[in-house]
Amino acid sequence: MSLTPDRPAVTSDLRFHPTTALIGADVTGIDLRQELDAETVARLRHALLKYKVLFFRDQAIDDDQQIRFTRYFGAVTPAHPVTNGLEDHPEIKVNKLFGGIQEYPAFRLDVDHPLRPVSRSRKGRGWHTDITFVANPAAITILRGVEIPSYGGDTVWADLEALYDGLSAPLKGFLDGLHAIHVRDDAANGLPRPPRYDGRAPGPFASLHPLVRVHPETGRKALFLSTGFVKAIDGLQPSESAALLDYLNEELSGHADYQVRFRWAPNSIAVWDNRSTSHFGPVDGPHLKEQRIVHRTTVGGDLPIGPDGFVARPLVGELFNTIS
């Protein structure tokens, strides 16, 4: 007898196939068009903690089914704290890239925008953890390939726990007590965002986070790096802060052994633990010749806690809410 969307799918064939020796796994033996039973959800959640990124192929689901799948991991947020989601599906953020034209123009000082603030560029600037400019960033992200170029458009993830583990003991001890300022202010960069459908302010946002966060479920430590959003380390001199962040970001971008790369296809899905990973994608975005469209949903997160007991707090702007 065939399964119906209303009947939980018992997925006895569910399998996880490690993608690298450290991070990532391909998932087979599951049909996300169907509802999932409690045992399957528990296995997926356990695998996500273990592998940090899960990859699904040939999952022809729609927006409603993506939102339902997201709910298995927790309460769903709006699409984004700054930009609107779809009017009929406010949980869905549509990321579009047309022939190399990025969704977010570069925040660059030029003769047409001479008053934009200048931020020092850093190696690996494309690496980020989602939405860290709020004090409670999303815990888990789900990204679905809708329209994918015939080649290019890959995403890369890095294991932030492995990155922390690879540092020397004296440096770990120093980093464990540091706190970083994460900021996003589109209006200050000359790109004010339109009003949000839900009436919440589209920014500015700033938060103070531990530089090392303790995973709320596993207790493991991870470097809490989000290159584009981390502006300074609290308490350090500007030159000290810049030098330390440059070093850490070079470690993040330079360790291929801590990374996994995913080749997208239509109906592919990636699910990642935003508390233990950083990602960069599409890695060749400016060079793409074809359209790339992906739909994103996120699960609400908590306030990150550092090894010293410091709890992240907002400096400017609201916490990130959940809606379904």
Side-chain angles (χ1 to χ4, degrees), residues 131-207:
I131 320 175
T132 65
F133 47 86
V134 299
N136 59 330
I140 295 165
T141 301
I142 290 88
L143 197 64
R144 172 170 61 99
V146 175
E147 187 168 342
I148 301 298
S150 54
Y151 55 88
D154 297 1
T155 303
V156 182
W157 287 263
D159 185 333
L160 296 180
E161 293 176 351
L163 185 60
Y164 176 84
D165 291 342
L167 301 175
S168 67
L171 183 54
K172 289 179 190 175
F174 177 57
L175 299 178
D176 282 352
L178 296 180
H179 314 131
I181 301 170
H182 297 230
V183 179
R184 177 162 176 174
D185 187 356
D186 291 21
N189 286 286
L191 294 168
R193 297 297 171 183
R196 292 178 54 83
Y197 301 144
D198 58 11
R200 294 169 72 93
F205 294 95
S207 296

Side-chain angles (χ1 to χ4, degrees), residues 7-238:
R7 181 177 293 125
V10 178
T11 51
S12 58
D13 294 329
L14 182 64
R15 297 288 185 274
F16 302 97
H17 312 273
T19 314
T20 74
L22 188 65
I23 178 176
D26 293 304
V27 184
T28 60
I30 191 170
D31 183 352
L32 299 184
R33 294 172 300 177
Q34 311 294 338
E35 290 187 5
L36 304 180
D37 60 52
E39 178 185 352
T40 299
V41 172
R43 291 180 64 190
L44 287 172
R45 293 176 63 90
H46 175 77
L48 184 61
L49 293 176
K50 179 178 180 180
Y51 297 110
K52 300 180 176 62
V53 191
L54 301 179
F55 303 116
F56 303 76
R57 297 285 190 184
D58 301 318
Q59 300 288 340
I61 64 174
D62 58 23
D63 288 335
D64 286 319
Q65 291 165 327
Q66 179 173 348
I67 293 168
R68 182 184 67 191
F69 178 56
T70 306
R71 288 196 191 106
Y72 291 128
F73 296 94
V76 185
T77 70
H80 197 270
V82 175
T83 57
N84 284 307
L86 297 173
E87 285 196 65
D88 55 344
H89 292 93
E91 301 94 338
I92 298 284
K93 184 178 190 300
V94 179
N95 291 343
K96 296 182 179 181
L97 192 153
F98 297 96
I101 300 175
Q102 299 281 358
E103 177 184 8
Y104 300 116
F107 295 162
R108 186 175 299 162
L109 184 145
D110 54 35
V111 294
D112 295 320
H113 306 92
L115 300 181
R116 281 185 181 165
V118 179
S119 61
R120 184 168 177 260
S121 62
R122 293 194 175 98
K123 183 177 180 181
R125 191 170 179 82
W127 287 94
H128 65 286
T129 298
D130 285 331
I131 320 175
T132 65
F133 47 86
V134 299
N136 59 330
I140 295 165
T141 301
I142 290 88
L143 197 64
R144 172 170 61 99
V146 175
E147 187 168 342
I148 301 298
S150 54
Y151 55 88
D154 297 1
T155 303
V156 182
W157 287 263
D159 185 333
L160 296 180
E161 293 176 351
L163 185 60
Y164 176 84
D165 291 342
L167 301 175
S168 67
L171 183 54
K172 289 179 190 175
F174 177 57
L175 299 178
D176 282 352
L178 296 180
H179 314 131
I181 301 170
H182 297 230
V183 179
R184 177 162 176 174
D185 187 356
D186 291 21
N189 286 286
L191 294 168
R193 297 297 171 183
R196 292 178 54 83
Y197 301 144
D198 58 11
R200 294 169 72 93
F205 294 95
S207 296
L208 187 64
H209 286 293
L211 188 58
V212 176
R213 73 172 296 177
V214 178
H215 197 289
E217 295 186 68
T218 68
R220 295 197 60 188
K221 295 180 183 179
L223 271 178
F224 193 21
L225 287 177
S226 193
T227 308
F229 299 136
V230 178
K231 303 302 182 183
I233 298 175
D234 187 42
L236 298 188
Q237 297 288 347

